């Protein structure tokens, strides 16, 4: 599964694996793919340094990258406390009422929520880059569009390629104009923040829009046959995220979440604003249903919603309150019905890819002539 882009980056397979778990990053790269560490949860630079040190020690000198979240528009002089003050009391009360309905225990005294959306703030991402650029990363991806011009220049000065996610051809063209090296065409089926266009339509549109820039296809891809389909649409590789959530190397915060992922079908996800304020595909739960209820107060815009629900989500996860327990994941969750190692996932992807290519060759009359 080699393409010009995979050869350029020195990897065997044009499979880019996005994950928040350092052990999965290293395993993806060791398996011949390109591991990309999601940095949004690293609000403390020392924590990111610790995990990049670990990846360096365990990646066997194979290439890897980093994914940050930098907003398209910079807001000067606004602190997290300023943002918190914008949250209406009726929304805070709705969170309290929903948690009380499901009898979710409080956190222990002095315990703080494990995850907050401070990673969406530009300065946090810049602090992450100050750490990351001391490591031999080969790719910097931004989940919220093109990073600021100075960040792109800083990456290029270090020989680091820059990628940005796009949900439409229009967004992709803006990335190209901003000097991005790789566009990730993220379809509607993908986990996390997604647009409205499905991968089968989006991928060739983006390929045409930014030619000759390389495009990675994302969304709804979890088999070798789907990888072959993406490459046939003009992509130079695939960007996979959800499929790694149930691998044995994943440090999932909750066995309850893993059980729900393994049991879910492709119709058990929903695009909801409940997590961050922007539409994000995730498991459908009583929590997402509560925020989509027309009788509720509705979600707040980013980053208010993320700050509003941070502690609630920590409580739900810590105490594994099953009806409310969820996670971002794409529609490919229907194929994620067993726990496998990263290497086993790669073995399945490569076998499926070979079978798909052989089938197309037979259809085209180009079977084995030996």
């Amino acid at each position: 599964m080699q393409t010009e882009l995979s050869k350029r980056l020195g990897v065997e397979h044009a499979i880019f694996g996005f994950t928040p778990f350092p052990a999965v990053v290293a395993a993806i790269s060791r398996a011949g793919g390109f591991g990309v560490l999601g940095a949004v949860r690293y609000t403390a630079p020392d924590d990111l340094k610790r995990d990049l040190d670990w990846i360096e020690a365990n990646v066997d000198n194979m290439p890897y990258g980093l994914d940050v979240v930098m907003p398209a528009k910079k807001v000067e002089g606004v602190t997290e406390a300023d943002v918190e003050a914008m949250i209406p009391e009726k929304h805070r009360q709705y969170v309290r009422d929903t948690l009380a309905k499901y009898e979710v225990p409080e956190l222990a005294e002095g315990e703080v929520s494990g995850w907050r959306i401070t990673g969406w703030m530009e300065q946090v991402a810049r602090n992450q880059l100050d750490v990351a650029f001391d490591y031999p990363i080969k790719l910097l991806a931004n989940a919220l569009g093109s990073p600021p011009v100075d960040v792109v220049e800083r990456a290029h000065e270090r020989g680091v390629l820059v990628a940005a996610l796009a949900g439409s051809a229009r967004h992709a063209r803006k990335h190209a104009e901003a000097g991005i090296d790789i566009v990730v065409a993220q379809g509607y089926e993908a986990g996390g923040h997604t647009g409205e266009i499905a991968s089968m339509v989006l991928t060739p549109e983006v390929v045409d829009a930014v030619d000759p820039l390389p495009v990675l296809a994302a969304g709804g891809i979890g088999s070798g046959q789907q990888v072959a389909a993406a490459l046939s649409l003009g992509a130079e590789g695939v960007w996979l995220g959800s499929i790694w959530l149930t691998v044995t190397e994943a440090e999932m915060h909750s066995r309850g979440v893993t059980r729900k992922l393994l049991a879910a079908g492709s119709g058990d996800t929903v695009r909801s604003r409940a997590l961050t304020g922007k539409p994000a595909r995730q498991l459908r739960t009583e929590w997402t249903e509560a925020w989509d209820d027309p009788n509720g107060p509705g979600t707040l815009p980013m980053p208010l919603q993320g700050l509003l629900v941070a502690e609630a989500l920590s409580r739900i996860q810590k105490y594994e309150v099953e009806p409310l327990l969820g996670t971002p994941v794409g529609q490919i969750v229907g194929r994620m019905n067993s726990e496998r190692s990263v290497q086993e996932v790669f073995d399945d992807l490569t076998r499926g890819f070979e079978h798909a290519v052989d089938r197309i060759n037979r259809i085209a009359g180009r079977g084995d002539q030996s």
Side-chain angles (χ1 to χ4, degrees), residues 17-233:
F18 163 79
T19 173
F21 307 122
V24 180
V25 171
I28 289 169
S29 291
R30 290 198 307 267
F34 191 99
V36 181
L37 179 67
V40 69
R41 66 191 178 99
Y42 292 100
T43 55
D46 286 347
D47 290 342
L48 178 59
K49 184 179 186 305
R50 176 201 64 215
D51 283 355
L52 288 175
D53 283 339
W54 188 93
I55 290 173
E56 273 291 296
N58 290 274
V59 79
D60 292 352
N61 295 316
M62 300 305 292
Y64 63 94
L66 190 76
D67 179 279
V68 297
V69 178
M70 301 192 78
K73 296 180 180 179
K74 184 175 183 179
V75 180
E76 299 281 1
V78 177
T79 67
E80 184 178 338
D82 295 331
V83 178
E84 286 264 18
M86 301 177 190
I87 298 174
E89 176 57 29
K90 67 177 181 180
H91 284 78
R92 296 186 187 278
Q93 186 61 49
Y94 190 68
V95 170
R96 290 192 289 266
D97 292 345
T98 303
L99 295 177
K101 177 181 176 181
Y102 292 92
E103 300 180 341
V104 181
E106 298 275 355
L107 295 176
E109 185 175 352
E111 184 177 0
V112 297
S113 59
W115 180 69
R116 297 177 68 77
I117 308 288
T118 51
W120 301 105
M121 302 178 78
E122 181 176 334
Q123 189 54 51
V124 174
R126 287 185 177 275
N127 292 342
Q128 293 165 350
L129 294 178
D130 289 341
V131 172
F133 282 141
D134 287 337
Y135 293 81
I137 63 171
K138 300 299 182 184
L139 176 71
L140 172 66
N142 188 37
L144 285 183
S146 304
V149 172
D150 68 294
V151 171
V152 176
E153 292 174 348
R154 190 177 174 193
H156 286 168
E157 287 170 359
R158 290 164 173 77
V160 177
L161 297 181
V162 180
L165 276 65
S168 70
R170 178 174 61 85
H171 292 155
R173 280 189 287 269
K174 288 184 177 180
H175 296 339
E177 292 166 0
I180 299 302
D181 303 294
I182 302 167
V183 176
V184 181
Q186 186 181 41
Y188 172 84
E189 310 95 324
H193 295 124
T194 63
E196 303 281 351
I197 306 172
S199 297
M200 183 64 73
V201 175
L202 179 66
T203 301
E205 285 188 352
V206 171
V207 168
D208 290 344
V210 302
D211 183 57
L213 288 184
V215 172
L216 300 177
I221 302 173
S223 73
Q225 292 88 340
Q226 291 166 320
V227 175
L231 298 188
S232 74
L233 293 172

Side-chain angles (χ1 to χ4, degrees), residues 281-302:
R281 187 170 297 283
Q282 55 203 281
L283 283 177
R284 186 190 305 273
T285 67
E286 293 298 319
W287 181 256
T288 63
E289 295 294 289
W291 285 102
D292 291 336
D293 187 342
N295 295 319
T299 55
L300 296 169
M302 180 186 286

